[in-house]
Amino acid sequence: MFRTKSVEQSIRDTEEPEHGLRKSLSALDLTVFGVGVIIGTGIFVLTGQVAKETAGPATALAFVAAGVVCALAALCYAEFASTVPVAGSAYTFAYASLGELVAWIIGWDLVLEFALGTAVVAVGWSGYVRSLMDNVDWTMPEVLSGPDVAEGFGFDILAFALVLVLTVILVVGMKLSARVTSVVVAIKVGVVLMVIIAGLFFIKAENYKPFIPPAEKQETGGGWDAPLVQLMFGYEPTNFGVMGIFTAASIVFFAFIGFDVVATAAEETKLPQRDMPRGILGSLLICTVLYVAVSLVVTGMQHYSELSISAPLADAFKATGHPFYAGLISFGAAVGLTTVCMILLLGQTRVFFAMSRDGLLPRFFSKTHPRFRTPYRPTILLGVVIAIIAGFTSIEELATLVNIGTLFAFVVVALGVLVLRRTQPDLPRAFRTPLVPLLPILSVAASVWLMLNLPVETWVRFGAWMALGVVVYFVYGRSHSRMAREGR
């Protein structure tokens, strides 16, 4: 259960003709992927909710706090991704440092995280597209608009079709995926910059007063929807005030989810030792700056108490008498969510592929396409499954599982850095996480704190999925593991 797979063996596995991926990505491609997956529903939706209910104009500080937590984890990811340039991200890192069982658990966790993330974003994309269609008097039949819209049976044909189209793009090749992502990210970043520049002309200084509103006790009821930290320690989170900023950080953390997906493409990077740290840290820095700027502009355009929760950016421009900008923002959001969906699907297929190559999942899924050199079998399987989930399921309540899954991965990677530094101190490292062991310990503490601020219900669902994963490991993975077969 605690056998580790050496870094050298992991790298040798990538050289097998039938199980290796084509190296075609540069540092710019990785940065574009990172920006493409990070900037999504978070910046277009969460800004208004957090400002109105939790932090006021200090939402900008909440984005900074969440960005710092991600930066601590990103430095750990950068060391691992440059040292072990193999598909699988946190799963591969855990296998090299903490052992097979921990690797399986984190891989099982990532499969859930990326699957739900892809489906949630696809449903969100569908909603934006239907909204744009309504603007030109095109209306989708309710029965094809999903269970959230239709009464009784509903199938979200747009979300279903999006996932299938992106599956085809990922099968054809990573370079095509990178080109599509580059175009879409350029549009999305252009919209964000438009919001910042145009919004500067409508800022009113009085809207920033008070910048940190007085603290209010948060009404959680103490039930299943209460944060775990409240039940464990009697701590009651607050809205507004200084502590409200940290409460808000645990919410806007969702807006940063995705930079870790960059690490799943390490095996397909031309110079991973140099380019992986640049891609991971560069994309995170760019997105943090954009998030802070947008939150400052929006809370300056409209008083935080009057912000819209569903579409704060667009509605803030409407409130100032500029509906044209509101339409552009809705278009940018719809286009932008396309890349988020594609890159989350990319991340999941690479984790699944790495686990099958190690024998923990059926080896049938570890064969690459003879022409495109992509893991086409798991891509097709997962693409179809997620398309069906997105089409039939209303999954907003499951979105918090994406948060807890990502934070759990952060904890494992930070601990893995500590273990590998101790067990293999002489291993060549193109990038070294600074201030070890202090920085990884801070990363673990910050991630755990944000996890404790998630509802008890989320923890129960996450625990059930993890328990199922342990059962699958002992029934199948442990005996079929490639490491176990070679040992025998």
Side-chain angles (χ1 to χ4, degrees):
M1 289 189 297
F2 299 103
R3 53 195 169 216
T4 58
K5 183 179 180 181
S6 69
V7 174
E8 295 78 11
Q9 180 61 49
S10 296
I11 295 175
R12 281 198 298 271
D13 288 348
T14 69
E15 298 168 356
E16 298 177 359
E18 291 186 335
H19 305 287
L21 301 173
R22 176 175 293 163
K23 298 181 183 297
S24 60
L25 300 180
S26 64
L28 178 60
D29 292 327
L30 295 173
T31 303
V32 170
F33 270 136
V35 174
V37 73
I38 295 173
I39 296 182
T41 51
I43 195 170
F44 291 112
V45 177
L46 288 180
T47 306
Q49 175 188 342
V50 169
K52 187 170 185 176
E53 299 178 352
T54 313
T59 297
L61 300 181
F63 276 116
V64 172
V68 169
V69 174
C70 290
L72 294 173
L75 290 168
C76 298
Y77 268 91
E79 174 169 326
F80 257 127
S82 61
T83 305
V84 193
V86 179
S89 184
Y91 158 76
T92 301
F93 307 156
Y95 213 157
S97 56
L98 300 175
E100 186 175 273
L101 177 60
V102 177
W104 165 267
I105 290 174
I106 195 64
W108 186 255
D109 162 55
L110 291 175
V111 166
L112 174 71
E113 172 197 339
F114 293 150
L116 292 182
T118 305
V120 168
V121 173
V123 172
W125 175 88
S126 173
Y128 272 107
V129 172
R130 290 197 305 271
S131 176
L132 289 172
M133 292 170 64
D134 290 340
N135 291 341
V136 293
D137 295 326
W138 292 357
T139 304
M140 291 280 295
E142 284 192 359
V143 71
L144 296 178
S145 298
D148 286 334
V149 178
E151 295 182 5
F153 176 82
F155 181 76
D156 195 332
I157 188 67
L158 292 177
F160 177 81
L162 173 67
V163 177
L164 290 186
V165 170
L166 297 180
T167 298
V168 173
I169 292 175
L170 290 176
V171 168
V172 171
M174 278 294 289
K175 199 60 186 176
L176 174 62
S177 305
R179 288 170 181 164
V180 172
T181 303
S182 298
V183 173
V184 176
V185 168
I187 296 173
K188 179 163 55 175
V189 172
V191 170
V192 172
L193 292 175
M194 182 271 295
V195 170
I196 296 171
I197 296 171
L200 287 173
F201 294 96
F202 308 118
I203 289 177
K204 297 180 180 178
E206 58 266 25
N207 288 333
Y208 290 129
K209 299 176 182 178
F211 190 76
I212 302 179
E216 299 175 1
K217 185 179 293 186
Q218 192 179 105
E219 298 295 333
T220 60
W224 287 102
D225 60 340
L228 183 62
V229 67
Q230 180 177 348
L231 298 185
M232 289 179 63
F233 306 112
Y235 165 77
E236 296 190 14
T238 61
N239 291 331
F240 308 114
V242 174
M243 293 307 297
I245 296 173
F246 294 101
T247 303
S250 66
I251 300 173
V252 300
F253 174 81
F254 182 84
F256 287 92
I257 285 176
F259 80 86
D260 56 319
V261 180
V262 176
T264 66
E267 191 173 325
E268 294 157 276
T269 304
K270 296 175 183 176
L271 297 171
Q273 289 78 8
R274 183 196 68 185
D275 293 342
M276 287 306 301
R278 293 181 179 181
I280 292 173
L281 298 171
S283 59
L284 183 61
L285 177 62
I286 291 170
C287 292
T288 302
V289 171
L290 291 177
Y291 280 2
V292 171
V294 166
S295 60
L296 286 173
V297 167
V298 170
T299 53
M301 290 176 61
Q302 194 174 17
H303 194 268
Y304 72 89
S305 62
E306 300 173 355
L307 284 173
S308 160
I309 292 180
S310 58
L313 276 64
D315 289 347
F317 277 100
K318 287 180 181 178
T320 58
H322 295 82
F324 170 75
Y325 290 112
L328 275 181
I329 291 169
S330 296
F331 171 75
V335 172
L337 292 179
T338 307
T339 56
V340 179
C341 193
M342 183 173 71
I343 300 170
L344 285 173
L345 182 59
L346 162 76
Q348 187 192 34
T349 57
R350 269 47 179 181
V351 173
F352 199 96
F353 169 76
M355 295 175 73
S356 66
R357 190 165 57 186
D358 290 333
L360 296 176
L361 290 172
R363 291 269 290 175
F364 170 82
F365 295 107
S366 66
K367 293 287 183 69
T368 55
H369 194 281
R371 177 184 173 189
F372 303 125
R373 297 289 299 278
T374 56
Y376 69 106
R377 290 175 176 175
T379 301
I380 294 172
L381 170 68
L382 296 169
V384 171
V385 171
I386 294 172
I388 294 172
I389 293 174
F392 279 109
T393 313
S394 176
I395 46 181
E396 285 79 1
E397 293 182 0
L398 298 180
T400 52
L401 281 171
V402 181
N403 271 13
I404 196 170
T406 303
L407 288 164
F408 181 63
F410 286 3
V411 171
V412 171
V413 170
L415 292 175
V417 168
L418 293 174
V419 172
L420 205 60
R421 283 284 188 98
R422 187 173 184 84
T423 57
Q424 299 189 51
D426 299 326
L427 187 69
R429 292 170 170 84
F431 178 88
R432 298 177 69 88
T433 303
L435 301 176
V436 174
L438 176 61
L439 191 144
I441 291 174
L442 288 175
S443 178
V444 170
S447 298
V448 169
W449 173 252
L450 291 185
M451 290 173 73
L452 291 175
N453 277 277
L454 292 171
V456 175
E457 187 177 17
T458 300
W459 280 87
V460 172
R461 290 173 174 170
F462 181 68
W465 176 256
M466 290 293 102
L468 176 61
V470 171
V471 172
V472 174
Y473 171 74
F474 282 105
V475 170
Y476 180 89
R478 187 165 180 258
S479 58
H480 290 79
S481 165
R482 190 173 176 179
M483 296 285 290
R485 292 200 308 271
E486 291 176 354
R488 289 196 295 267

